[in-house]
């Protein structure tokens, strides 16, 4: 029976999950891979912590290069994360002709093209199912199941930490700060959860999805990102009064010559499927021109779900090794295919509906001043709520608009925030996702 040897770099949460799946489901994995998949070496700086898995101490090392240089190791699994040493290890493994599996979303988003080119050069594969959506096989779905489609749009809840925090604010009326504290206490968030709550993690994952959906490199820096930390409980309450909840969405839309690619808090209709994605769950809702809408839902993090995704790549690569197929994984076609960077539309050209919460003094004429400035910038109001509720010494005036251009919105808000009757910066949240995404209006 063929034997495939795996070397793992990084024995933290995901590394331990990977080892656990490989050991517990050894028989099933062997059948699916067409040979025995064996853990040959594991590198980590911490060799002492108990991971709750029986691992022979002989295979452990503190030196990643011991794993990469081991001539018997066929597949390198990089699970240390980050942009530093991980990249060197991956490139060195490829140079040695080894296939690589990684869960490293930051590295793929920021240096993906360099890694894909190296994989092409050394005729090896780079597989990364675990980098987006934890256990949800969305990379494989895009790469294989949907490869016949022109992807029209993707809408993802890709950061479980932010979703957990927003769910706490929505369902338990917690403040942002209390929701973060709860998420940290229960182990759903790191302390501090900076890259999660500022939208960077979701943007990394969006960059990866976009690069697969459109089969071309993405300039990560051009993806607009805004996190959840400025949202207030009153925004969550007002959203509900208008029939929405607030989600951190990662969105791409195919505009033909260019795409939208953006991450920000978004008001999602309570009727929409994505409104029901709660707590630490992730979901990806996408539309292809032939397949129509597709929804993927599951645990976006955690030892076992992420281990499941890593091992799915190990099985795929083991089969390639056993069958002798070195063709690149779709859609990373051979090197002779032209790969031009995807053009991303600047955020100020976005056309969207908006939610505004103005903090205003409760005086005659305030509303007409605000409405006058909005009107002068072609922003049409669709609903207004003003309640005599005192919030931090002012009265919230809340509006929803029809579709407007973001550049006009930004200009109007800067004029409005300069009025002496405004007591605080206006909160702006983009609304909905245009047409065709709600449960109610889907065609059969
Ligand atoms: N930190 C991520 C999240 C999980 O909160 O969703 C790993 O990608």
């Amino acid at each position: 029976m063929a034997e495939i040897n795996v070397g793992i770099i990084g024995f933290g949460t995901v590394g331990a999950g990977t080892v656990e799946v490989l050991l517990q489901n050894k028989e099933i994995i062997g059948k699916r891979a067409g040979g025995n998949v064996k853990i040959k070496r594991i590198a980590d700086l911490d060799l002492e912590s108990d991971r709750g898995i029986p691992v022979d101490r002989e295979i452990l090392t503190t030196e990643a290069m011991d794993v990469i240089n081991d001539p018997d190791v066929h597949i390198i699994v990089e699970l240390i994360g980050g942009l530093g040493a991980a990249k060197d290890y991956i490139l060195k493994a490829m140079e040695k002709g080894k296939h690589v599996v990684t869960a490293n979303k930051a590295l793929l988003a920021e240096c993906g093209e360099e890694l894909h080119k190296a994989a092409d050069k050394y005729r090896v594969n780079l597989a990364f199912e675990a980098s987006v959506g934890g256990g949800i096989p969305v990379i494989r779905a895009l790469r294989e199941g949907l490869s016949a489609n022109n992807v029209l749009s993707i809408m993802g809840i890709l950061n479980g930490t932010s979703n957990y925090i927003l769910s706490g604010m929505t369902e338990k009326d917690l403040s942002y700060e209390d929701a973060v504290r709860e998420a940290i206490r229960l182990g759903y968030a790191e302390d501090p959860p900076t890259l999660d709550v500022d939208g960077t993690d979701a943007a990394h994952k969006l960059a990866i999805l976009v690069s697969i959906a459109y089969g071309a490199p993405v300039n990560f820096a051009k993806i607009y990102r805004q996190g959840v930390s400025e949202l207030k409980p009153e925004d969550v309450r007002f959203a509900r009064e208008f029939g929405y909840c607030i989600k951190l969405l990662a969105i791409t839309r195919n505009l033909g010559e260019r795409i939208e690619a953006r991450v920000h808090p978004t008001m999602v209709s309570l009727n929409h499927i994505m409104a029901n994605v709660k707590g630490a769950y992730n979901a990806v809702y996408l539309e292809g021109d032939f397949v129509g809408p597709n929804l993927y839902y599951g645990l976006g993090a955690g030892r076992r779900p992420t281990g499941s995704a890593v091992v799915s790549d190990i099985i795929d690569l083991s089969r390639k090794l056993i069958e002798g197929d070195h063709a690149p994984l779709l859609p990373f076609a051979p090197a002779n295919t032209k790969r031009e960077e995807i053009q991303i539309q600047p955020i100020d050209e976005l056309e969207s509906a908006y939610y505004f919460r103005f903090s205003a003094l409760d005086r005659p004429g305030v509303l007409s001043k605000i409405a006058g400035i909005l009107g002068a910038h072609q922003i049409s109001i669709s609903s207004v709520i003003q309640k005599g509720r005192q919030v931090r010494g002012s009265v919230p005036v809340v509006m929803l608009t029809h579709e407007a251009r973001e550049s006009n919105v930004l200009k109007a808000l800067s004029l409005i925030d300069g009025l002496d009757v405004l007591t605080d910066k206006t909160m702006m949240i983009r609304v909905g996702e245009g047409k065709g995404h709600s449960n109610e209006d889907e065609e059969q």
Side-chain angles (χ1 to χ4, degrees):
M1 194 186 199
E3 187 155 277
I4 298 298
N5 290 322
V6 175
I8 297 172
I9 302 172
F11 200 19
T13 305
V14 181
T18 300
V19 172
E20 191 177 354
V21 188
L22 285 170
L23 295 179
Q24 190 173 318
N25 286 354
K26 188 171 175 55
E27 211 172 306
I28 295 173
I29 291 166
K31 280 191 188 141
R32 292 182 182 154
N36 183 25
V37 179
K38 188 175 154 198
I39 305 165
K40 180 78 186 351
R41 300 227 71 181
I42 302 174
D44 198 279
L45 295 177
D46 169 13
L47 301 184
E48 299 311 318
S49 297
D50 179 12
R51 277 90 171 174
I53 320 162
V55 174
D56 182 355
R57 284 194 68 88
E58 295 278 287
I59 69 168
L60 298 177
T61 171
T62 54
E63 296 296 328
M65 288 313 293
D66 288 351
V67 181
I68 294 168
N69 287 330
D70 185 330
D72 295 332
V73 167
H74 304 106
I75 298 172
I76 296 290
V77 183
E78 181 278 305
L79 298 174
I80 58 173
L83 298 172
K87 184 171 154 193
D88 284 347
Y89 295 148
I90 290 176
L91 291 173
K92 289 207 170 91
M94 288 177 173
E95 261 174 58
K96 291 195 168 293
K98 299 182 188 212
H99 292 308
V100 174
V101 175
T102 180
N104 193 334
K105 59 229 161 161
L107 185 60
L108 288 162
E110 302 200 25
C111 311
E113 192 55 12
E114 187 184 342
L115 299 179
H116 293 306
K117 282 197 173 129
D120 233 359
K121 180 172 167 194
Y122 296 109
R123 297 192 49 77
V124 293
N125 274 295
L126 175 65
F128 45 92
E129 184 61 67
S131 62
V132 180
I136 309 171
V138 66
I139 304 272
R140 206 168 256 98
L142 266 175
R143 200 157 58 64
E144 297 178 3
L146 303 175
S147 60
N149 284 261
N150 179 14
V151 176
L152 305 177
S153 64
I154 302 176
M155 189 195 316
I157 293 176
L158 300 177
N159 184 262
T161 302
S162 299
N163 204 46
Y164 188 88
I165 291 166
L166 290 176
S167 296
M169 291 176 74
T170 306
E171 281 158 29
K172 300 183 195 163
D173 286 325
L174 297 178
S175 66
Y176 170 77
E177 291 74 17
D178 287 344
V180 169
R181 268 192 288 277
E182 183 184 277
I184 292 171
R185 185 171 54 81
L186 296 175
Y188 289 113
E190 313 233 349
D191 188 6
T194 317
L195 294 183
D196 291 312
V197 298
D198 75 0
T200 303
D201 177 75
H204 280 147
K205 293 165 178 169
L206 180 64
I208 296 169
L209 292 183
V210 163
S211 74
I212 298 171
Y214 303 111
V218 181
N219 182 344
F220 174 69
K222 292 198 175 154
I223 296 184
Y224 174 83
R225 57 187 188 275
Q226 180 195 342
V228 295
S229 58
E230 286 177 14
L231 294 171
K232 300 277 182 260
E234 53 265 35
D235 296 313
V236 172
R237 284 198 297 272
F238 284 125
R240 197 182 302 136
E241 286 187 36
F242 283 120
Y244 293 90
C245 63
I246 303 175
K247 294 286 180 195
L248 183 72
L249 291 190
I251 296 166
T252 186
R253 281 202 289 184
N254 189 343
L255 305 175
E257 294 296 301
R258 347 186 249 182
I259 61 161
E260 287 175 10
R262 48 193 168 97
V263 172
H264 50 73
T266 308
M267 297 211 348
V268 174
S269 163
L270 290 170
N271 294 325
H272 197 288
I273 286 172
M274 296 295 263
N276 289 313
V277 178
K278 295 180 182 169
Y281 277 83
N282 279 198
V284 178
Y285 181 89
L286 60 81
E287 270 192 270
D289 58 348
F290 276 75
V291 76
N294 265 218
L295 177 71
Y296 306 87
Y297 171 85
L299 288 169
R303 169 169 158 156
R304 288 168 68 92
T306 315
S308 147
V310 170
V311 174
S312 74
D313 282 339
I314 296 175
I315 296 173
D316 256 12
L317 297 179
S318 299
R319 282 165 55 174
K320 274 177 163 279
L321 284 165
I322 292 165
E323 299 297 324
D325 165 20
H326 287 88
L329 298 174
L330 275 168
F332 302 103
N336 56 9
T337 310
K338 205 164 156 208
R339 281 166 59 82
E340 279 177 9
E341 186 183 306
I342 300 165
Q343 296 306 303
I344 297 175
Q345 174 183 267
I347 192 74
D348 63 359
E349 292 178 33
L350 178 69
E351 303 273 344
S352 171
Y354 293 85
Y355 158 100
F356 302 137
R357 176 174 49 79
F358 303 105
S359 304
L361 297 178
D362 199 3
R363 288 200 195 140
V366 170
L367 197 53
S368 78
K369 275 190 185 161
I370 293 174
I373 294 175
L374 293 176
H377 289 82
Q378 288 80 48
I379 302 163
S380 165
I381 299 164
S382 68
S383 317
V384 182
I385 304 179
Q386 191 209 316
K387 296 196 173 159
R389 224 183 249 161
Q390 291 286 319
V391 179
R392 285 182 289 282
S394 59
V395 172
V397 177
V398 180
M399 284 181 191
L400 289 188
T401 74
H402 293 294
E403 289 222 333
R405 195 175 176 87
E406 180 124 344
S407 54
N408 289 339
V409 166
L410 297 177
K411 276 184 225 150
L413 291 186
S414 91
L415 291 175
I416 291 169
D417 284 350
L419 296 173
D420 56 7
V421 288
L422 267 282
T423 59
D424 209 347
K425 188 170 179 286
T426 298
M427 169 60 76
M428 177 269 270
I429 304 175
R430 298 169 190 88
V431 178
E433 235 321 84
K435 301 155 196 83
H437 285 278
S438 109
N439 268 340
E440 287 169 351
D441 51 34
E442 270 164 24
E443 287 173 25
Q444 292 304 305

